Amino acid sequence: MNLIKKAAITSIMALSFGASNIAFAEDAKATEVIAHIEAAIAEINKHDFNAAYGHEKAARTASEEIVGNEAVVKQGLDSLIKAQIIGKSADEPKAIAELNKALGFFKSI
């Protein structure tokens, strides 16, 4: 009986650890997206839209790997795309506003 209890506890702990690794991986990707968005905002503040575009592209790529929050990720991705489009016309306030909106979506994950 004692052996069965130990086996059950061990398997429960293993399942719990596996689930926490999946959650951590999602958080890592969300953190990566957030870092790229913040870097893009900093580049726009320096009037460097080309560097910002690179960060926005990297954020879009990283956001594709986030699972479990499809609706929020889609809204954040839409804001990132709008920011990229606005950035091509070099409209700083609008681009930053869209990036801040995207930042809010990804921080909610």
Side-chain angles (χ1 to χ4, degrees):
M1 185 70 169
N2 200 13
L3 184 62
I4 294 172
K5 286 182 185 178
K6 287 181 181 179
I9 290 174
T10 303
S11 63
I12 289 171
M13 289 175 60
L15 289 173
S16 174
F17 181 70
S20 68
N21 279 343
I22 292 170
F24 179 72
E26 288 179 22
D27 289 342
K29 283 298 169 184
T31 303
E32 182 181 345
V33 171
I34 290 167
H36 280 297
I37 293 172
E38 289 174 344
I41 291 171
E43 293 298 334
I44 290 173
N45 283 330
K46 294 184 217 174
H47 310 292
D48 189 357
F49 285 93
N50 290 328
Y53 184 82
H55 284 292
E56 291 163 349
K57 188 173 179 179
R60 285 179 61 185
T61 303
S63 71
E64 293 171 357
E65 298 177 22
I66 298 173
V67 293
N69 298 307
E70 287 81 15
V72 175
V73 170
K74 184 176 179 343
Q75 290 174 327
L77 189 58
D78 289 344
S79 292
L80 272 172
I81 292 169
K82 287 178 187 174
Q84 283 181 307
I85 293 169
I86 293 168
K88 291 197 185 247
S89 65
D91 189 350
E92 280 183 50
K94 287 183 182 178
I96 291 174
E98 280 300 323
L99 286 172
N100 282 328
K101 191 187 306 183
L103 194 60
F105 287 123
F106 287 109
K107 282 188 175 182
S108 71
I109 294 176

